[in-house]
Amino acid sequence: MTNTAVMNSLTFNVERKGETAIVRCRGRLVAGLCGDFYAKIKPLFADSKRVVLDLTDLDSVDSMGLGILVRLYASAKSAGSCLELINLNKKVRDLLGITNLLSLFGEMCEKGVAIKF
């Protein structure tokens, strides 16, 4: 893989624990990489009460990435599921704060806080 391909990549793996699906993300949630991510994550809401996006290794998010997070939020809410974002780095946390999305995700789950730092 070239350096450009590595810089412009998004990988994720899904681990299931009971009614929870944990999605570990690595790379960048940016334009051109979001469609596949959304297509793979959205079906998890049908059979998971809780979907956790672990953003420990997510380097950056652009406006398309924010849009995908909002679409996933809406999909989770429609399915009666909970979407949690955990381990946000400072850059991603600041972006969600500036766009007032921290409060949106913070109110998502009834049991506890949906965003964990």
Side-chain angles (χ1 to χ4, degrees):
M1 200 179 280
T2 67
N3 284 342
T4 303
V6 170
M7 287 178 18
N8 291 318
S9 69
L10 174 65
T11 59
F12 52 92
N13 66 348
V14 178
E15 175 185 345
R16 293 194 181 266
K17 290 185 176 182
E19 293 185 333
T20 300
I22 302 168
V23 182
R24 289 180 175 53
C25 305
R26 175 183 294 268
R28 303 177 65 207
L29 188 56
V30 296
L33 303 174
C34 296
D36 186 47
F37 181 72
Y38 178 78
K40 296 275 175 37
I41 303 307
K42 183 180 183 252
L44 297 175
F45 299 123
D47 54 352
S48 300
K49 293 273 185 204
R50 187 169 153 234
V51 175
V52 178
L53 298 183
D54 183 346
L55 306 182
T56 301
D57 295 318
L58 193 70
D59 300 323
S60 62
V61 178
D62 69 2
S63 60
M64 289 293 290
L66 286 175
I68 289 301
L69 292 176
V70 171
R71 284 181 68 196
L72 288 171
Y73 164 85
S75 296
K77 192 170 182 176
S78 309
S81 185
C82 172
L83 176 66
E84 277 186 49
L85 306 180
I86 63 169
N87 301 322
L88 288 71
N89 66 35
K90 182 175 177 3
K91 193 181 340 180
V92 173
R93 187 175 59 242
D94 288 348
L95 181 60
L96 289 172
I98 289 168
T99 57
N100 291 321
L101 291 175
L102 276 177
S103 61
L104 176 78
F105 287 105
E107 296 170 359
M108 177 70 187
C109 295
E110 293 176 317
K111 296 178 183 175
V113 178
I115 295 184
K116 298 176 184 157
F117 305 107

